[in-house]
Amino acid sequence: AQKVTQAQTEISVVEKEDVTLDCVYETRDTTYYLFWYKQPPSGELVFLIRRNSFDEQNEISGRYSWNFQKSTSSFNFTITASQVVDSAVYFCALSEIYSSASKIIFGSGTRLSIRP
Amino acid sequence: GAVVSQHPSWVICKSGTSVKIECRSLDFQATTMFWYRQFPKQSLMLMATSNEGSKATYEQGVEKDKFLINHASLTLSTLTVTSAHPEDSSFYICSAEQDRQETQYFGPGTRLLVL
C-alpha cells in the first residue's frame, strides 16, 4: 500500500530562518511521482514540484529546494530565508506513474508559520 | 496553463437538502476528474475518480448514493451531495487530468456548510 508520512504537524520559525519540511513515503511501485503542494489560508492548492522516481537529482527553484533520496524513501523540502508569505500548509504527495487512474495520495500536511 | 474552476466557491444549506458542485476544465479536455474532501486541519482524501461517459469509481468508505458524480462531458464533472447533513460540511476540491498527461490540475475548492 502507498503511504506518505509528514511527521511534522506544525513548524514555527522566525522570518529569514531556513526551514526543512520532511516527507517519507512508502510504495511497492518502482515507478512513481512525488509532489509538493502549498495550501495557503484561501484553500487553493498551489503546485510546487513533481519529481519522478527515475530522477534523484536535487532541485532548486529560487528559495525552494528539494532533496530526493530513494535509499531512505524521503523527499524533503527546504525553504531558505523564509518569509511571512511562506506561511501555509504544505502537503507532500505520491502517485503511481503507470496505472489506470493516477490517484494522488497526500500526506497529512505540515502547517508552517513564519513569524515576523 | 491549465485552469480548473469550481462553482460555487462556497455554499450554506439546510440539513436534508441536496447540493450540486460543478468542476470545469476551462482550457483543456479532461478525460479523468477526481473529487477530494478535506475536513478542517486534515489532509485531502480522494472520494472518487470519474471518467467521461462512464460511472465513477468510489474509494472505500464513500457512499456512492450520497455523493453522486456525473462526468457528462470532457470539461464538466458534477458532485451532488444528497440529503446533506452537518457532518458533510467540508471543503470539496476537484482536479482534472488531461488525457493521461499524468498531471492533475486542481480547482479552487468549494466550502460546504450544512446547518
Side-chain angles (χ1 to χ4, degrees):
Chain A
Q2 296 181 323
K3 185 179 178 182
V4 177
T5 301
Q6 294 179 254
Q8 303 151 308
T9 306
E10 294 190 29
I11 299 176
S12 180
V13 300
V14 176
E15 198 172 20
K16 297 183 183 177
E17 286 187 14
D18 298 347
V19 58
T20 295
L21 309 182
D22 298 332
C23 174
V24 175
Y25 62 92
E26 296 176 29
T27 179
R28 293 178 184 167
D29 300 314
T30 56
T31 54
Y32 50 88
Y33 286 122
L34 293 165
F35 305 81
W36 275 96
Y37 290 90
K38 174 182 180 180
Q39 188 177 43
S42 65
E44 184 163 0
L45 279 180
V46 177
F47 169 82
L48 297 178
I49 189 172
R50 182 182 80 173
R51 177 51 56 89
N52 73 55
S53 52
F54 302 117
D55 183 2
E56 283 193 75
Q57 272 194 322
N58 291 330
E59 181 155 340
I60 298 175
S61 176
R63 295 184 296 106
Y64 296 168
S65 63
W66 291 269
N67 184 308
F68 177 26
Q69 292 195 348
K70 287 181 79 170
S71 61
T72 56
S73 297
S74 65
F75 187 43
N76 296 337
F77 172 34
T78 298
I79 301 175
T80 304
S82 61
Q83 300 176 2
V84 173
V85 293
D86 296 327
S87 297
V89 180
Y90 290 85
F91 291 100
C92 180
L94 167 75
S95 76
E96 300 173 357
I97 291 182
Y98 303 117
S99 71
S100 59
S102 45
K103 295 181 186 180
I104 294 181
I105 307 298
F106 286 86
S108 54
T110 297
R111 184 174 299 275
L112 177 63
S113 298
I114 309 298
R115 309 190 304 274
Chain B
V3 178
V4 175
S5 70
Q6 280 184 243
H7 178 79
S9 55
W10 59 269
V11 57
I12 301 174
C13 69
K14 291 183 179 179
S15 187
T17 60
S18 293
V19 176
K20 181 186 283 188
I21 303 170
E22 293 185 349
C23 176
R24 293 182 185 271
S25 56
L26 299 185
D27 50 2
F28 66 99
Q29 293 187 327
T31 50
T32 305
M33 287 186 168
F34 303 83
W35 287 96
Y36 296 83
R37 180 169 54 183
Q38 184 181 29
F39 291 110
K41 297 193 175 183
Q42 293 189 26
S43 187
L44 283 77
M45 299 300 295
L46 180 65
M47 298 175 67
T49 302
S50 74
N51 292 293
E52 185 264 340
S54 61
K55 289 184 178 180
T57 301
Y58 290 81
E59 294 299 301
Q60 195 170 13
V62 178
E63 301 175 58
K64 61 181 180 181
D65 293 331
K66 181 166 184 64
F67 299 100
L68 301 178
I69 291 172
N70 186 293
H71 192 162
S73 76
L74 286 172
T75 59
L76 173 64
S77 176
T78 59
L79 167 67
T80 301
V81 183
T82 61
S83 187
H85 288 97
E87 57 266 30
D88 298 323
S89 299
S90 188
F91 189 51
Y92 292 87
I93 305 173
C94 75
S95 69
E97 183 180 81
Q98 181 183 7
D99 193 22
R100 295 297 295 146
Q101 295 285 319
E102 296 163 349
T103 295
Q104 289 184 32
Y105 301 95
F106 285 85
T110 297
R111 295 193 186 278
L112 169 63
L113 177 61
V114 185
L115 301 176

